[in-house]
Amino acid sequence: MRITLHFIVFLTFGFFCSAQEISLTGIVKDSTGTGVDMANVIAINTETKGLESYGITNHAGLYKLKLKTGSQYTVKVSYLGLKTESFTLTAGDVDAVKDVVMQEQAAQLDEVEVTYEMPVSVKGDTIVYDTDSFVSGTEKKLKDVLENLPGIEIDDDGQIEVEGKTVTKVMVEGKDFFDGDSKIAVENIPANALSKVEVLKNYNEVSQMKGLTNDDDNVALNIRLKEGKKKFWFGELTAGYGPDNRYLAHPKLFYYSPDYSINIITDLNNLGEVPFTRNDYRKFTGGFRDINARGGSSIDVGSDGLGLSTGQNNRANDIDTKFAAVNFSYAPSKSLDLSGFGIYSHTGTLMKSISSTTYIASNDIENATTNTDQTVHLGLAKLSARYKPNADLQIDYDALLKQSDDYEAVDVLSISDITDEISEVKRQKPLAVNQNLNLYYTLDDKNIFAVEAQHLYQDEDPFYEAIRSEFAFVDVFPVDENQDVYNINQVKNVVTNKVDAKVDYYYVLGDKSNLNFTMGTTQSHQNFNSGIFQVLDGGTTLDMEGSDYENDVDFNVSDLYLGFHYKVISGIFTFNPGVTLHQYNVKNDQLGNVVKDDLTSLLPDVYINAQLKKSENLRFNYRVTRSFTDVNKFAQAYVLNNYNSAYQGNRDLESALNHNLSLNFFSFNMFNFTNIFGNVSYTKRIDALKSSAEIVGINRISTTINSNFEDESFSANGRYERTFGKIKGSVRGSLAWSTTNNLVDNAQLTSNAFTQSYQGALSTNFKNAPNLEVGYRYSVNNYDNGGRETTYFTKRPYARFDTAFLKSFIVTLDYDYYNYTDKEGTIGNKYSFLESNLTYQQKDSKWEFGIKGTNLLNTTTLNKDSTNELYFTTQSYYVQPRYVLFTIKYDI
């Protein structure tokens, strides 16, 4: 209640202030009488000489400024290519109207004198934010600043979104910052180092290719530093310690100059603050692109053969993490750029969960208590080189190394029709090396060539051990039953070599059209070996021999393709239809013979963009794709997935055909800072790869088949954001529906899932007053598996508060409340999390002192639910208790 009252006071304060203002409106036109879209309009107080109001014209040239009554202003209007216009106005007691006509500049390339920085300006496809106009002084890192900027949002995974699109590249002073991930940037770049944030829409790293391809979804961010941060080391050293031996150490250093840069980031803590998770590692692309994105083929090579457990929201029973990362760039000459990074992460995690799983076919319920001790070492290294001797030639080379060392020990107490204690051990050291070589050459104005090649080498070696008093599959595996316990072990090795290469030729017909001819290939080779053995009581081993228990598979997929695309711009529309002809050859060699599958396929795709306004478009995509699974699904001998699941591959599998449609709408109105985006997508899978399982109680043996059942999925999401002075409001929602068909005990089982998530929020952005964000999230997960239905609800109000007081103090509060229930009323869990920071730093001092509190309400568990075609489950996870730390930070 107090939070709500506080927020009402803020709104009343904003309304009161607005009552002392008038509106100045008008239309900015060019010499032909046409409205000028996205012209900059600023009002300078003639007495204080300060910038007091600003605006950007809409598509009709309309502008609007808020001016304090009784003050005199000089109003300036500027637009690249037109002469700057200005006039003087004294704000009276009533709203005023003033139109402006702008004339052409004699030399459009002349520099325009800028006396005052616009808080937001638009230059072609670039939006420039002056960060000082949006900060209150409580911000600590880039993430805090970006959340204040209209049109930019940070999602729950730490990724930057602009107008609903995920930022694919973050740069600082034009140099790559850990290419392939934005989370490291938002969590580590100091807020006080920022001068400007540049949003680069329709981004393409290759100048020759801009306009030839569809770059609408490509968004990059470039951070500009304050002058005092260039050619000097800057950063901060942070340390903290608290009761129960809780600690935090977070040094980070940055150096930028025109020729080279270096960034060093480290983090050691046992507070549950994981700077680089295993999910981050899996998603980290290193900036590598899918060079066959428009070709229509999807050839899977598998990953993470163990399926390691992950903490919920980076929370677990105990987490100890160590992280170090280095990023560099160096330009030895104007034509050559070198860059790269290295990342190391160690995370030790203790997890505990209690789950209830209902198996649909057998109607059995398993209640399980699971304790997990996990240690994960993650390593990445990338080296990039770019050679661009002139505007017509560019050569790129990239090499990315990824390796991890994973160990997980799991103890499970399983209670169903029997009670069993299971100990599992999982370990692996997978290695992946990805190399990329690209050449772009412009022969002349009409002929452009692009050659791209990529090679992936991947070596996975997952090992699995299960020790238990009961073994679910004694009728399937030739185990020795005269043992005190069953000690079953499995070794696997999967080696992958995959080559993608293509040549694109673009024939430019004019400024608004081009032809694109593509010739390419994908060659994937995988070798799969596995074996199962039992460790007997005396320490000897019993190897399970034969074709049912030993895998030795060579699996090859060859894809040769020719593609043609035509791109043309007509009025507000961009049309880019195309078609790709594929010749596939698939074969797997195992059990002493070879099974082949040869296929010719014609895959169409269509892209249509309606550019309704400069920052508003509607896009339609339709694509037919053919997908191939990896070698794991073809290996016919048994493998163990976990203590109650065994799998047997199917060497006769064929590819699946997918129809994908999507419709996207984006609108970013700089006139009134309204940001809207929406997306709907639909997928229909034909001859899909489906699960076929035999269920005995809580145990299952499954395989994969091609099914005539047609699966469908539909999803939609949208967001509306509007800024009213210092108040920002937003609403967003997403829903997803899917229907899948699988075989369970040789009978068709249809599963439907319908999930919904909604959120509304209001926040303030005062410079000299406390700021508050309040919001409400509501989610509904409805699952219907073979007629058995269940629904889970989560209600989540939240609040964020920060303020500076007594000149040197800053306090922040972060509160989340969860109410988790199910439809039947059998589950009800209410819990909340409160985080807080109090810091003290005198003006111009390099030292900061603080108190940091995590999980201050001492919540013990949180919840999650999930489903598939065989079961649905709900889980409670134990989380770390309350921690309080005393911190010291030194600004370099």
Side-chain angles (χ1 to χ4, degrees), residues 115-397:
T115 308
Y116 293 89
E117 290 286 356
M118 279 288 293
V120 185
S121 59
V122 181
K123 303 174 182 178
D125 286 335
T126 302
I127 303 174
V128 182
Y129 296 90
D130 177 51
T131 56
D132 285 344
S133 303
F134 295 94
V135 297
S136 62
T138 62
E139 297 81 8
K140 296 296 184 182
K141 49 193 176 183
L142 174 61
K143 175 183 177 180
D144 303 326
V145 176
L146 293 180
E147 288 176 336
N148 293 335
L149 305 183
I152 298 180
E153 184 171 324
I154 310 297
D155 68 14
D156 291 338
D157 294 325
Q159 301 300 313
I160 307 171
E161 292 183 354
V162 175
E163 301 176 24
K165 308 167 191 174
T166 300
V167 170
T168 56
K169 180 184 286 289
V170 176
M171 298 173 286
V172 178
E173 293 293 329
K175 304 178 188 300
D176 289 349
F177 190 89
F178 294 97
D179 193 16
D181 179 78
S182 61
K183 179 181 176 180
I184 296 179
V186 301
E187 295 290 349
N188 290 283
I189 296 177
N192 60 12
L194 307 182
S195 172
K196 293 179 176 59
V197 173
E198 298 175 345
V199 176
L200 311 176
K201 300 193 295 183
N202 304 315
Y203 181 74
N204 197 313
E205 297 180 76
V206 185
S207 57
Q208 299 107 299
M209 304 298 293
K210 191 170 180 62
L212 298 179
T213 56
N214 301 315
D215 302 321
D216 305 87
D217 287 328
N218 297 343
V219 181
L221 217 65
N222 185 40
I223 308 300
R224 295 293 182 185
L225 302 174
K226 292 180 178 178
E227 288 302 320
K229 303 298 182 180
K230 300 176 185 178
K231 296 185 179 180
F232 292 98
W233 283 98
F234 69 94
E236 58 192 36
L237 306 176
T238 304
Y241 188 78
D244 302 319
N245 292 320
R246 296 296 146 179
Y247 63 86
L248 166 69
H250 191 22
K252 46 190 176 183
L253 295 170
F254 307 90
Y255 182 87
Y256 281 89
S257 71
D259 294 332
Y260 65 92
S261 69
I262 186 167
N263 309 285
I264 303 171
I265 300 170
T266 61
D267 192 338
L268 296 87
N269 75 82
N270 58 0
L271 306 176
E273 298 179 357
V274 184
F276 195 72
T277 68
R278 185 165 181 81
N279 284 335
D280 297 331
Y281 174 80
R282 280 200 298 263
K283 294 186 297 184
F284 203 99
T285 65
F288 279 72
R289 301 181 299 273
D290 180 5
I291 67 175
N292 191 26
R294 290 205 302 177
S297 292
S298 173
I299 300 175
D300 193 11
V301 294
S303 62
D304 191 12
L306 288 178
L308 295 180
S309 307
T310 56
Q312 302 302 303
N313 301 326
N314 291 340
R315 292 190 173 104
N317 208 19
D318 190 79
I319 306 177
D320 188 352
T321 186
K322 299 174 178 64
F323 173 80
V326 177
N327 183 88
F328 79 93
S329 67
Y330 174 55
S333 66
K334 291 184 178 181
S335 59
L336 180 62
D337 281 301
L338 303 175
S339 62
F341 60 76
I343 298 173
Y344 169 75
S345 174
H346 163 270
T347 306
T349 308
L350 298 178
M351 289 175 273
K352 180 180 179 180
S353 68
I354 298 175
S355 63
S356 178
T357 302
T358 301
Y359 291 83
I360 300 157
S362 64
N363 207 31
D364 284 3
I365 296 177
E366 178 190 21
N367 294 302
T369 300
T370 304
N371 289 279
T372 303
D373 186 350
Q374 183 186 99
T375 303
V376 173
H377 300 264
L378 304 173
L380 299 95
K382 183 185 177 185
L383 176 65
S384 298
R386 173 168 299 171
Y387 178 65
K388 192 175 178 67
N390 53 61
D392 296 330
L393 176 64
Q394 179 173 317
I395 301 174
D396 298 333
Y397 173 76

Side-chain angles (χ1 to χ4, degrees), residues 529-681:
N529 288 279
S530 72
I532 300 175
F533 61 93
Q534 180 183 8
V535 178
L536 304 179
D537 291 345
T540 60
T541 60
L542 172 63
D543 294 326
M544 301 183 193
E545 299 177 343
S547 59
D548 284 339
Y549 313 106
E550 297 176 301
N551 279 301
D552 185 3
V553 187
D554 283 315
F555 179 64
N556 296 275
V557 180
S558 172
D559 176 18
L560 302 173
Y561 58 90
L562 294 172
F564 170 74
H565 289 81
Y566 173 59
K567 182 178 181 180
V568 60
I569 300 174
S570 178
I572 66 170
F573 291 99
T574 299
F575 299 95
N576 190 193
V579 65
T580 306
L581 177 65
H582 292 264
Q583 176 61 50
Y584 300 107
N585 302 101
V586 184
K587 66 178 182 179
N588 68 87
D589 184 353
Q590 59 179 313
L591 304 177
N593 58 71
V594 177
V595 174
K596 296 183 178 181
D597 182 20
D598 297 334
L599 175 68
T600 301
S601 189
L602 192 65
L603 304 178
D605 62 276
V606 177
Y607 169 87
I608 302 173
N609 180 21
Q611 195 68 38
L612 306 176
K613 300 172 185 176
K614 280 189 177 181
S615 289
E616 183 175 288
N617 61 53
L618 182 67
R619 303 200 317 274
F620 171 76
N621 272 287
Y622 170 67
R623 178 166 297 163
V624 180
T625 62
R626 187 165 289 280
S627 58
F628 296 81
T629 188
D630 65 285
V631 67
N632 290 275
K633 299 293 193 299
F634 284 84
Q636 285 213 164
Y638 288 105
V639 295
L640 295 170
N641 293 329
N642 56 47
Y643 65 88
N644 65 345
S645 174
Y647 179 83
Q648 189 175 29
N650 178 4
R651 66 180 312 185
D652 296 318
L653 289 177
E654 298 176 350
S655 59
L657 197 65
N658 308 291
H659 293 266
N660 307 281
L661 299 92
S662 66
L663 185 66
N664 304 274
F665 174 76
F666 298 97
S667 176
F668 186 37
N669 190 334
M670 300 290 286
F671 171 71
N672 55 14
F673 292 110
T674 300
N675 180 29
I676 305 172
F677 76 82
N679 171 72
V680 294
S681 60

Side-chain angles (χ1 to χ4, degrees), residues 789-793 795 819-830 874:
E789 185 177 359
T790 187
T791 305
Y792 301 99
F793 305 90
K795 301 172 184 177
N819 184 358
Y820 179 82
T821 58
D822 67 347
K823 183 178 180 180
E824 292 78 15
T826 58
I827 299 174
N829 191 13
K830 299 178 181 180
T874 181

